[in-house]
Amino acid sequence: MMPDHVVIRLTLRHDYYLPDLPPLRLLAPVGLVVRRIGERLVVIARDGADLPERVTLTLLAQSPDLCRVTQGYDWHRVPVLKLAEGEDQVRFGTRPEDGDEARRMGDWRVVLLDVALAADPPRDIEVHFSAVAAYWAYWLTGRGLRDDIRIVDPHDAAQFDDLGPATLPDGREARVIRSAEPLALRARPTERFALQYEGQFGPVMLVPVLPAAGVNTRKLTGDGADDRLQADIYVTLS
């Protein structure tokens, strides 16, 4: 056996955290050591280690928020992602069907990587996680509430539907305006939605930049809701 050497170089990307690295910790089985070198995690075989043909690596969330914003995260099972030799670019967005493990209490494992070791190491692998998408629902309250308000996207990339009046749990009246399609959640959102109404001489700006959706979402209920999610955003108009 050669002296300590790298057997896997792993790059992790997550659409929610880009351009930053996702808060994930890598665990390797006994006989292997994990080190971070720049933006990559490297798995190193210790001198004298008897390497199998495959190893199982564990990606562990360092924040529960990562679980909430990862598309395909399963709150009951831990997915197993099998990577054959040569399968080095992987997109994680739906739960793999190759097998899984029951999730334990307080278990923040995101995915298990079942990796075939290369005959001529190291293997360079990139795992890219997709971010959760949800309908952005703005709950508007306050004295500045008007019947003719609307949300606009200056880039015309997103459209919004006026869902009409609603009552908050504390009894306050609100107006709900929701995106027509689900929008991806981002730690650094690029969306710059504005709240305005049409005045006598053109649009009047009420809120130039509305807050973006957070990490907390809820499943929509009712006919045809399926697994659609909604992020509720509360805005008080003075």
Side-chain angles (χ1 to χ4, degrees):
M1 185 74 172
M2 296 174 58
D4 295 3
H5 62 286
V6 175
V7 293
I8 297 172
R9 288 192 290 248
L10 180 64
T11 301
L12 300 176
R13 297 282 185 262
H14 197 301
D15 287 339
Y16 177 83
Y17 295 96
L18 287 175
D20 299 326
L21 298 177
L24 284 164
R25 181 184 177 195
L26 179 65
L27 303 180
V30 175
L32 300 175
V33 179
V34 177
R35 295 284 185 268
R36 181 176 291 280
I37 300 178
E39 293 191 350
R40 290 195 294 190
L41 297 166
V42 296
V43 180
I44 302 170
R46 289 175 171 168
D47 183 17
D50 186 14
L51 293 177
E53 293 184 356
R54 307 186 69 90
V55 297
T56 298
L57 306 175
T58 302
L59 285 175
L60 189 69
Q62 293 181 289
S63 165
D65 285 351
L66 182 138
C67 306
R68 297 186 184 99
V69 300
T70 301
Q71 182 69 31
Y73 182 86
D74 192 317
W75 293 93
H76 304 289
R77 311 289 293 181
V78 182
V80 178
L81 191 60
K82 292 186 178 181
L83 304 181
E85 189 169 355
E87 189 179 3
D88 298 327
Q89 302 286 327
V90 181
R91 167 69 76 161
F92 184 91
T94 57
R95 192 168 69 83
E97 299 178 354
D98 292 334
D100 50 24
E101 294 187 8
R103 188 175 296 284
R104 303 183 298 269
M105 181 82 66
D107 185 347
W108 297 113
R109 291 178 295 170
V110 178
V111 64
L112 302 178
L113 301 178
D114 182 355
V115 181
L117 295 181
D120 184 20
R123 278 193 67 175
D124 286 294
I125 299 172
E126 178 174 317
V127 181
H128 197 133
F129 293 88
S130 298
V132 162
Y135 291 91
W136 293 23
Y138 287 91
W139 295 68
L140 308 172
T141 62
R143 291 178 298 175
L145 201 57
R146 301 169 53 99
D147 291 336
D148 57 348
I149 55 176
R150 59 190 180 123
I151 294 176
V152 296
D153 179 2
H155 303 294
D156 291 327
Q159 305 296 321
F160 287 84
D161 296 326
D162 190 339
L163 303 187
T167 303
L168 294 171
D170 61 5
R172 286 182 299 159
E173 293 301 315
R175 178 81 162 278
V176 182
I177 301 179
R178 191 177 70 185
S179 62
E181 298 292 338
L183 304 174
L185 304 183
R186 296 282 188 269
R188 299 184 181 183
T190 58
E191 289 82 4
R192 295 293 185 269
F193 303 138
L195 184 66
Q196 63 184 40
Y197 66 91
E198 195 65 33
Q200 183 178 357
F201 302 104
V204 177
M205 195 70 67
L206 289 173
V207 181
V209 180
L210 288 165
V215 300
N216 293 317
T217 61
R218 61 183 176 91
K219 282 190 175 183
L220 292 177
T221 58
D223 295 338
D226 300 323
D227 291 330
R228 294 182 299 168
L229 299 175
Q230 178 169 299
D232 296 317
I233 310 162
Y234 299 92
V235 178
T236 301
L237 305 175
S238 57

